[in-house]
Amino acid sequence: MTALSREDCIALDQADPLAPLREDFSLPQNMIYLDGNSLGAQPKASLLRAQQLITQEWGQDLITSWNKAGWFEMPSRLGNLLAPLIGAEQGEVVVTDSTSINLFKAIAAALQIQAQSTDHANRRVIVTERSNFPTDIYMAEGIMRWLDRGYRLQLIDSPEELETAINDDTALVMLTHVNYRSGYLHDMEAVTKLTHQRGALCIWDLAHSAGAVEVQLNQAQADFAVGCCYKYLNGGPGAPAFVWVPRRHQEQFNHPLSGWWGHAAPFAMAPSFTATVGIRRALCGTQPIVSLAMVECGLATFGKTSMNNIRKKSLALTDLFIALVEAQCAHHPVSLVTPREHQRRGSQVSFAHPHAYAVVQALIERGVVGDYREPSIMRFGFTPLYTRFVDVWDAAEILRDILDRQDYQIDLKRNAVT
Amino acid sequence: MTALSREDCIALDQADPLAPLREDFSLPQNMIYLDGNSLGAQPKASLLRAQQLITQEWGQDLITSWNKAGWFEMPSRLGNLLAPLIGAEQGEVVVTDSTSINLFKAIAAALQIQAQSTDHANRRVIVTERSNFPTDIYMAEGIMRWLDRGYRLQLIDSPEELETAINDDTALVMLTHVNYRSGYLHDMEAVTKLTHQRGALCIWDLAHSAGAVEVQLNQAQADFAVGCCYKYLNGGPGAPAFVWVPRRHQEQFNHPLSGWWGHAAPFAMAPSFTATVGIRRALCGTQPIVSLAMVECGLATFGKTSMNNIRKKSLALTDLFIALVEAQCAHHPVSLVTPREHQRRGSQVSFAHPHAYAVVQALIERGVVGDYREPSIMRFGFTPLYTRFVDVWDAAEILRDILDRQDYQIDLKRNAVT
């Protein structure tokens, strides 16, 4: 692998069946963008879609667009487009609100299901990872504090602890499928099975897996899932998120954000709430239509390939990056954080380095955009729809050059947002 | 007034200091749009803004736009732009999430403030109107059901009942300032005063008043407010909503939607939640940036005039419409639902008619776009930024003609969304 040349990478790109999909995106010149796991690139189609939506649907057709342009149905229509990417059925996904808010709905519903069950009513523990994306933990804290019924979090420090952590006190296991820092990929099927064996329910956050790795929610018998549309799904900055509720749980999916979009008859203006049947009960209020429409442009590219092809290329890209960096930067204090094992790796590669923040800034200066995550992680996301093998080569070369020449400012002050 | 002619209306438009602001909007030809209280018209600037955001900020600058283009600060920056329209101070408003979700935050925070107070801890009643916009009631129901601590709703049937309904059991009074159906405008200052005298807190929903009537939240000593940006504020379909928390309540503003955008150090990735100081603790997760940016284009036009001028023209427009319809349709079963008294009237006029739905459809066919609301209301919104006096004349004439000729289909089936 390390004997590979830049020319070999160009040849890999030429042979890559996904290579033409890069044309769907508008990418900056002279930039190697390895941060699609933070904000996905802009699909070219999104500009035309926004223009059409703003000038015609909003400007000319105005309120008729709620029906005529399908605005009102957009959360479920987009959910159905997204479903195949995560192993979900039609009528099980809506695109709506933010990941945090969807997680709130799922946690609230799951805790209620447990509280109302005969056998599990006294379970009071939510198991999650200390390294989970913080907002997931914060949302669980918010619910626990509000319910004030003795719920508590159990934060584990490694996936191996799940086996002992999940027990008769566990109401809920809440995990992010791919860790945002390390890129660790949980075995969804095994963890869900373990969770169910111990009588708990399992919520998966797919923020770093939807569109990045193969996800089979129904096959894994997962209970609930949420995820983000602005990372690997390229739905635009802050795009509305998604929530998945399998058919078997939909009737019990009750959450306190019971707004009119989740009502059985939203336009009857009845003075009391009756949840609608099906996945739309996960909706709350009116959705931001312009941002929502961008999500469809991101999903369109996925229709031209399969998650299996995407996953194959993702592993090839991350394998290559790991090999190149480890070979070329072996004399520097760079250590791989992301699992080497394919089955445990998402679509990112994280390396630790004592001056990670400064090195990431130097990389950005040189046109290689990854990002920094506390406390010492250089994080690189690989998005098979637009990342080329030659990009991987060049990024590794530039990283080596920066480290060899110590061409980074150690005292660099950290920005608020990296 | 009824002796007024179409020419007089044209003269009124020529003398109208707000007339030039109509040029800020892209409006359909041959349509009289009286539904800006459902979806505001499209500011011309929004197209360019979306193009810039999508191609440059998202497409080229990618993640750097969170800082460089001010995406992360957008909720508070827009909140500060909106503040003067509702009598709020800088640092008291954020534009975020949906009205329903913001209301959830405000209700939760208010109930907790009461529950933690020495004198009001046992108050368990939320007073609101049966005719309130349903989602407001549904959100209160959602919280009450979920907390399961004996909270209950008291639904009143007319504003006069407030005097007796608010008592020692009342934790919270939750009202929509301008009723979506009738256009009734509450006396915010008097109702808030009454509420406080009885030891309760008061939440105002400004969905139909922000940008439509003069609102003085701080002067009225209101406790919390939420509102909509896609009606009179012209922020685009489903635009993110706003929430107002006055400085005196901010330290106590705790709600269960405690996501990372409301954290004291959102990028420190701490594994437990600490609310930030100030209005940003009302935030939860990542916001839909493209839709959010549209809100600024809507607010820009308000900077060219004052709410006082807007209110004056609003009352002139609604006075004129009432007078014309009552004079010209006197022989039809049309009855005014909106208060005649200026101090009790929002920026809409609602008439009841036995075949309201069919008449509204006939009006739309003839290019006059109002809307229908259950059970028998024809609703017409007047937006002084782009509605002309001549539009009012023409709309009244067309309504008269339809009624005189019975040119509507009584059996028309109702659409899901009107």
Side-chain angles (χ1 to χ4, degrees), chain A residues 35 51 63 138 146 270 273, chain B residues 35 51 63 138 141 149 270 273:
Chain A
D35 214 359
Q51 288 168 337
I63 47 155
Y138 305 160
W146 239 257
F273 186 76
Chain B
D35 213 0
Q51 288 168 337
I63 48 156
Y138 305 160
E141 286 183 311
R149 284 175 208 149
F273 185 76

Side-chain angles (χ1 to χ4, degrees), chain A residues 38 180-181 371-379 418, chain B residues 269:
Chain A
S38 178
Y180 77 103
R181 263 178 97 255
D371 60 24
Y372 167 79
R373 285 297 177 265
E374 295 282 357
S376 60
I377 300 275
M378 305 186 289
R379 187 177 76 153
T418 55
Chain B
M269 306 287 166

Side-chain angles (χ1 to χ4, degrees), chain B residues 182-194:
Chain B
S182 68
Y184 180 93
L185 167 67
H186 279 285
D187 183 338
M188 182 184 283
E189 197 161 342
V191 172
T192 304
K193 196 175 172 188
L194 173 70

Side-chain angles (χ1 to χ4, degrees), chain B residues 10-244:
Chain B
I10 292 172
L12 284 172
D13 286 321
Q14 282 166 346
D16 172 21
L18 271 62
L21 300 183
R22 183 175 161 93
E23 281 307 303
D24 282 11
F25 297 90
S26 175
L27 290 156
Q29 297 291 313
N30 308 315
M31 183 192 287
I32 297 171
Y33 190 62
L34 303 178
D35 213 0
N37 51 340
S38 177
L39 172 62
Q42 181 225 324
K44 288 177 184 163
S46 58
L47 177 62
L48 194 64
R49 181 70 187 98
Q51 288 168 337
Q52 174 201 38
L53 200 156
I54 291 169
T55 59
Q56 183 64 41
E57 297 176 16
W58 177 14
Q60 296 298 303
D61 301 339
L62 287 154
I63 48 156
T64 62
S65 291
W66 284 108
N67 282 323
K68 203 168 111 181
W71 288 353
F72 189 66
E73 292 301 325
M74 221 186 267
S76 19
R77 194 162 51 78
L78 299 185
N80 286 338
L81 288 174
L82 200 156
L85 306 186
I86 54 173
E89 294 296 316
Q90 301 294 289
E92 292 187 337
V93 184
V94 276
V95 178
T96 187
D97 297 333
S98 66
T99 310
S100 299
I101 285 172
N102 288 332
L103 190 61
F104 181 87
K105 299 169 190 166
I107 297 171
L111 291 183
Q112 193 184 66
I113 289 171
Q114 292 286 56
Q116 291 179 346
S117 78
T118 320
D119 303 332
H120 306 148
N122 296 319
R123 292 172 176 241
R124 285 292 177 272
V125 176
I126 300 176
V127 171
T128 190
E129 292 179 284
R130 194 181 311 277
S131 66
N132 198 346
F133 190 68
T135 207
D136 292 33
I137 298 175
Y138 305 160
M139 296 314 291
E141 286 183 311
I143 290 183
M144 294 186 305
R145 201 170 42 231
W146 186 59
L147 290 178
D148 193 22
R149 284 175 208 149
Y151 286 106
R152 63 183 179 85
L153 272 181
Q154 182 172 356
L155 299 179
I156 60 167
D157 290 297
S158 92
E160 288 69 39
E161 294 177 34
L162 285 169
E163 175 63 38
T164 50
I166 308 173
N167 58 36
D168 289 354
D169 295 328
T170 312
L172 190 58
V173 176
M174 173 184 90
L175 294 169
T176 296
H177 190 209
V178 174
N179 186 278
Y180 77 103
R181 263 178 96 253
S182 68
Y184 180 93
L185 167 67
H186 279 285
D187 183 338
M188 182 184 283
E189 197 161 342
V191 172
T192 304
K193 196 175 172 188
L194 173 70
T195 303
H196 289 172
Q197 280 168 349
R198 308 274 163 91
L201 293 169
C202 201
I203 299 181
W204 292 97
D205 179 345
L206 307 178
H208 290 265
S209 35
V213 303
E214 289 174 284
V215 181
Q216 292 294 346
L217 286 169
N218 275 314
Q219 190 182 302
Q221 302 233 38
D223 294 298
F224 305 99
V226 299
C228 172
C229 293
Y230 58 79
K231 297 177 184 292
Y232 293 98
L233 296 178
N234 308 308
F242 65 87
V243 50
W244 169 77

